Amino acid sequence: ARANVLGARKFFLSDTWSAVPEDVSYDWIVSNPPVHLGLRSDFTVLCALLSGGPRRLRPGGALYLVVQTYVPVGLLAPEAECAWTDGRFTVW
């Protein structure tokens, strides 16, 4: 991430929010969350990002999620908007 966002000041490697201080806010949160646990679908990380992400954004900030198209982001977060899809992956 540091090589891709040269002006970024802080990075946190975390399992969702566990290692991120509560008072940290972001202009962008970008994630390709895992949606499988072994062979079965598991949306635990996705749901944590959807529930915790908005309150960690600065005014005007954005949460971007890249997931396989079958993942029901629109059902889990009705306010989410599809930004792009190629039929296989979708950016919300």
Side-chain angles (χ1 to χ4, degrees):
R2 193 175 308 270
N4 291 329
V5 185
L6 299 177
R9 289 179 249 145
K10 290 185 181 180
F11 294 87
F12 297 96
L13 179 59
S14 180
D15 181 4
T16 63
W17 308 112
S18 62
V20 181
E22 282 288 327
D23 62 341
V24 174
S25 61
Y26 303 92
D27 294 315
W28 291 359
I29 298 171
V30 180
S31 181
N32 174 221
V35 293
H36 295 98
L37 183 60
L39 296 176
R40 67 180 177 86
S41 294
D42 182 345
F43 302 139
T44 303
V45 173
L46 173 63
C47 288
L49 288 168
L50 289 169
S51 67
R55 76 171 183 269
R56 293 173 180 269
L57 291 171
R58 293 185 182 124
L63 170 62
Y64 292 101
L65 300 168
V66 179
V67 294
Q68 291 174 307
T69 300
Y70 84 90
V71 176
V73 174
L75 294 174
L76 297 170
E79 68 281 8
E81 296 178 12
C82 174
W84 176 87
T85 187
D86 67 359
R88 188 167 167 227
F89 291 93
T90 301
V91 178
W92 295 89

